[in-house]
Every structure is written in C-alpha cells, then in structure tokens.
Amino acid sequence: MAIAYIALGANLGDPASTLRTAFAALAELPDSRLLARSALYLSAPVGLTGQPDFVNAAAHIETTLPPEALLDALFAIEQQFGRLRGERNGPRTLDLDLLLYDQQVISTPRLTLPHPRLHLRAFVLLPLADLDPALRIPGRGTLAAWLPAVATQGIRRLDA
C-alpha cells in the first residue's frame, strides 16, 4: 500500500459542504482507504483575484492505485462535482490535487510529484500539518520547515 496526500479546494456553491462530501467520495476510491482528513480552512484566491475565497483541506489516503490511476480517479471525482477546467487559478466547484505519493519524485507530462507549489502555499501546508506535522517533502525537507515562509498568507481555520 502506498500513502498519498491530496489537497481539496472549492470556491463555488457551498464550498465547505462540497469538501465534506468530497471526503466521502475519497473514502469510496477503489483499492484505497481514507486514513485522515484535515480541518477546513478559508483562504483568499491566489493569482486570479476578484473571485470568492476558497475553502481548502487535505486528505491522507492509503492506496494500491498507481499514481496516474489515482490522478484519473481524482479527476473523475472532480467531474462528478461539476468541475470544468477553464481559467488557470479560476473559480471551481472542486479541485483535487495529488500532492505526494509515498516519497516518490515523478515528472511526466500529466503528473509532477511532489506537487511543484505545495511548499509555497499556506492553504496546502496548514491542512497537511493537521495530518502529519513531521511530513517530509521529497527534495524540500520537512513540512514544518516551510511553515514560517507562508505565515503571512491569509488563511483561517474553519473547523476541527
């Protein structure tokens, strides 16, 4: 079994409810088991402003799905939630990003692991810290070492 971490985000409709339902969908992934979920966090959009704030979270799963098969399964869940891929960093009903898969480093046209910007974003690091504050990011060190760098990014915990 491999260990994977997934970022969740949404800012259209009722994003908090969407993420809670998305956790249930992750728990139903084939050949996988949801081990833990983070709290929900509210954060301002990055890149494309003038859109609603995002609700973000992270999930910790155990899976036998290979990385690209897991990515395909995540895309299928996004589609179930009405995700349309349009503008980069634009509004979305649900965004699921595969952040880490064991300690693998992967670079293909479809998938880069670890996620290339995870260490730069409070809305990714803080939910991950809920799951495993000692988590190691391949090629980047510990998650805890990156938290001070994102301390000034606006983010607020919504629930436990």
Side-chain angles (χ1 to χ4, degrees):
M1 295 291 265
I3 295 296
Y5 291 89
I6 299 160
L8 298 84
N11 73 338
L12 295 177
D14 181 352
S17 177
T18 296
L19 293 195
R20 289 183 187 103
T21 306
F23 280 125
L26 291 172
E28 297 300 319
L29 281 170
D31 305 314
S32 303
R33 185 166 62 108
L34 179 65
L35 299 175
R37 58 153 280 193
S38 73
L40 302 182
Y41 290 83
L42 186 68
S43 64
V46 173
L48 185 62
T49 57
Q51 60 178 317
D53 286 349
F54 278 85
V55 176
N56 300 100
H60 178 193
I61 69 166
E62 186 177 64
T63 186
T64 60
L65 294 172
E68 288 204 7
L70 178 56
L71 183 66
D72 290 337
L74 298 179
F75 286 163
I77 292 172
E78 287 181 345
Q79 287 180 334
Q80 290 171 11
F81 282 79
R83 169 77 189 265
L84 300 174
R85 292 191 174 272
E87 208 168 2
R88 182 178 167 89
N89 296 322
R92 57 203 70 171
T93 55
L94 179 64
D95 185 31
L96 298 174
D97 287 331
L98 181 54
L99 301 172
L100 297 164
Y101 186 97
D102 279 341
Q103 288 290 298
Q104 291 188 28
V105 176
I106 298 172
S107 183
T108 70
R110 292 190 64 225
L111 180 61
T112 302
L113 292 175
H115 190 284
R117 292 173 302 284
L118 82 89
H119 64 291
L120 302 173
R121 307 274 169 83
F123 65 82
V124 175
L125 291 177
L126 288 173
L128 280 176
D130 284 354
L131 301 174
D132 185 354
L135 185 64
R136 296 197 61 74
I137 303 168
R140 303 245 179 240
T142 64
L143 179 150
W146 287 96
L147 289 173
V150 301
T152 61
Q153 294 178 13
I155 186 167
R156 181 171 56 95
R157 188 180 178 120
L158 295 178
D159 69 5

